[in-house]
Amino acid sequence: MMAVKASFVSISAPPIIYQDRYRYCSPHRGITRTVKFKGAAMILPVKCSTGPTDSEAEEPYRPSWSLSVYKWYAGLGALGFIETGYLTYLKFTNSDAFCPVGGGSCSDILNSDYAFVFGVPLPLIGMVAYGLVALVGLHLSGKSLLSGLGETDGRLILLGSTTSMAAASAYFLYLLSTKFAGASCSYCLMSAVLSFSLFFLTLKEFGLQEIQRMVGLQLVIASAVIAALSISYGTQATQTVSTSSAEIDLPLFTTEIKKESSPLAISLAKHLHSIGAKMYGAFWCSHCLEQKEMFGREAAKVLDYVECFPDGYRRGTKIAKACADAGIEGFPTWVINGQSSQACQGAGSAACTCSAMHVEFLRC
C-alpha cells in the first residue's frame, strides 16, 4: 500500500461581497445571497432573522393589514363619536333630534327613560366609548397619541371596550323590540351597527386561538354591562311606579297657541267644523297641544275641541261624560263622520299631517 499525504493550502481571498434580495423575511420565507469569490459567483441559501437588526430597530416592522385594522377602528370610532356627540348636544340643549326614519317614534325613544343610565345621558356614555376606540385606533396606527401605551395594552383596551359596546347594543335592541314594538329609531340602529362592526373587527384581529383564551374575560365584561343596565332601568321603573302612585292634583289650565294659522289651516278647520268633526283631548296632553299648534292660533279657535277633564285632574277623577260616551281611550282622538281615529298618540305629532282634500288625519 502506498501512503498518500494530503496537504491544505491557506488561500487569502478578498472580502465576500453579498447583496440581500429582501430586507426582511418571515419565518416561512428564506432569502438568498449572491457570493462572489475570485470572479466566480455562487447563490447560497441563508437564514434571516424575523425582524430588523439593532441598527434598524428605530422603525419597527408591522404587517400592512395590522395598520389597516387600526385605521378601521379609528374611522368607525370617529363615526360613532360624531353621532353620539350630536345626540349629547341635543340632550343638554333640550332639543328634538332630526329623525329621517321613524319620525315621532324615534323622538319618543330618544327622550324616554331608557335614554339615561344611572341619571347619565346614554349618548354621553356612547360618546366616551366611541372616542376611546377612535383614540386607541389612531395611536396604534402610528400616530403615537397616548404616551406609554404599548400595542398589547392597546389591544386589551379595544377588546374590553368593543365587547362592552356590543353587549350594550344587544340589550338595547332587546328593549327596542319589547318596550317599543313597532317603533323605529335610526340613531339606535346606526349605533348598533357600528358597535357590532367594531366587535367583529376585534374578533378578526385577535384570531380564534387568542379569543379562546380571552373568552372568559369577555363573558365577565358582557355580564357586568348587562347587569348594570338592568339595575339602572329597574331602579327607574320603581321610581316611576312610586311617582305614578303618588297623589296627583292638577288644576285646569290653558296653554296659549303662538303659531299663526295659514289660510289652508283655517280653511280645513272650518270644513271640519262644518261636518261636525270633534277633537277630544286633555289639558295636560302635550300631543293635543302640538296638534293645535299645527293648526295655529286662529284655526284652533274654530275647531270643535272637547276637554275630557274640564274640572282638572286628580287621582280618581272620571273622564267627562261626553268623552266616555264617545269611547275615548287616549288623547288626542278625532271623531269624523262617526269614525274614531286616535291620531298619533305617543308618536309625536310632528310626523302627522292632515289632508284638506280627504279631511282625515294620516296615521303616523
Side-chain angles (χ1 to χ4, degrees):
M1 296 290 294
M2 179 182 284
V4 178
K5 291 185 178 180
S7 63
F8 295 88
V9 180
S10 175
I11 302 175
S12 62
I16 295 176
I17 303 172
Y18 65 88
Q19 180 181 4
D20 291 345
R21 289 186 181 177
Y22 303 95
R23 184 177 179 186
Y24 303 118
C25 66
S26 69
H28 305 290
R29 179 192 296 173
I31 67 172
T32 59
R33 288 176 176 169
T34 302
V35 180
K36 295 181 179 180
F37 179 74
K38 286 189 175 183
M42 296 178 61
I43 298 179
L44 301 176
V46 297
K47 283 188 176 181
C48 60
S49 63
T50 58
T53 60
D54 294 339
S55 61
E56 297 167 332
E58 296 177 358
E59 298 181 359
Y61 172 74
R62 289 178 179 173
S64 59
W65 64 265
S66 181
L67 295 178
S68 175
V69 166
Y70 294 135
K71 289 178 181 178
W72 273 104
Y73 277 117
L76 294 176
L79 285 178
F81 182 82
I82 293 172
E83 181 208 11
T84 52
Y86 167 68
L87 296 178
T88 301
Y89 167 77
L90 296 179
K91 280 292 182 184
F92 284 107
T93 58
N94 293 322
S95 304
D96 290 330
F98 168 71
C99 296
V101 178
S105 62
C106 176
S107 298
D108 289 343
I109 295 173
L110 295 175
N111 295 322
S112 68
D113 292 337
Y114 293 97
F116 295 88
V117 177
F118 294 111
V120 180
L122 185 60
L124 179 60
I125 299 176
M127 187 175 68
V128 173
Y130 281 117
L132 176 63
V133 170
L135 188 62
V136 174
L138 283 174
H139 173 76
L140 296 180
S141 66
K143 301 299 182 182
S144 300
L145 301 176
L146 302 172
S147 177
L149 179 65
E151 187 172 15
T152 301
D153 294 336
R155 289 189 176 199
L156 288 176
I157 292 175
L158 291 175
L159 176 67
S161 56
T162 56
T163 300
S164 60
M165 292 163 66
S169 293
Y171 187 83
F172 293 140
L173 290 177
Y174 164 76
L175 292 178
L176 192 63
S177 62
T178 55
K179 304 296 183 181
F180 301 94
S184 177
C185 176
S186 54
Y187 296 100
C188 308
L189 297 178
M190 178 180 177
S191 182
V193 169
L194 290 174
S195 297
F196 286 123
S197 297
L198 288 168
F199 177 67
F200 289 127
L201 195 64
T202 301
L203 297 182
K204 176 180 179 297
E205 183 200 6
F206 272 75
L208 180 60
Q209 292 183 351
E210 201 168 0
I211 285 296
Q212 288 176 342
R213 292 196 298 268
M214 297 289 186
V215 68
L217 176 62
Q218 289 181 290
L219 290 176
V220 170
I221 293 174
S223 300
V225 170
I226 294 176
L229 292 173
S230 300
I231 293 173
S232 174
Y233 295 142
T235 303
Q236 291 179 8
T238 302
Q239 292 175 349
T240 302
V241 171
S242 177
T243 302
S244 61
S245 62
E247 193 65 33
I248 299 176
D249 188 355
L250 291 176
L252 179 68
F253 63 85
T254 57
T255 304
E256 180 184 1
I257 300 175
K258 300 179 180 180
K259 180 183 175 182
E260 184 178 352
S261 299
S262 66
L264 177 62
I266 295 175
S267 175
L268 177 59
K270 290 180 178 179
H271 187 80
L272 289 171
H273 176 74
S274 67
I275 64 174
K278 293 183 179 180
M279 174 185 177
Y280 295 83
F283 65 94
W284 40 261
C285 170
S286 61
H287 295 305
C288 301
L289 178 61
E290 289 174 0
Q291 289 202 2
K292 291 179 181 179
E293 286 284 354
M294 288 173 59
F295 280 94
R297 183 172 55 253
E298 295 79 12
K301 294 178 181 179
V302 181
L303 295 174
D304 286 334
Y305 174 75
V306 180
E307 174 58 55
C308 292
F309 295 93
D311 299 324
Y313 180 85
R314 61 186 56 84
R315 192 174 182 182
T317 300
K318 294 183 179 180
I319 196 170
K321 186 177 184 303
C323 299
D325 292 342
I328 305 302
E329 297 179 352
F331 312 110
T333 297
W334 284 83
V335 177
I336 304 174
N337 294 330
Q339 294 185 348
S340 176
S341 174
Q342 189 171 325
C344 308
Q345 180 193 7
S349 60
C352 301
T353 59
C354 45
S355 169
M357 295 295 294
H358 299 90
V359 198
E360 63 180 3
F361 279 89
L362 302 178
R363 293 184 178 273
C364 292

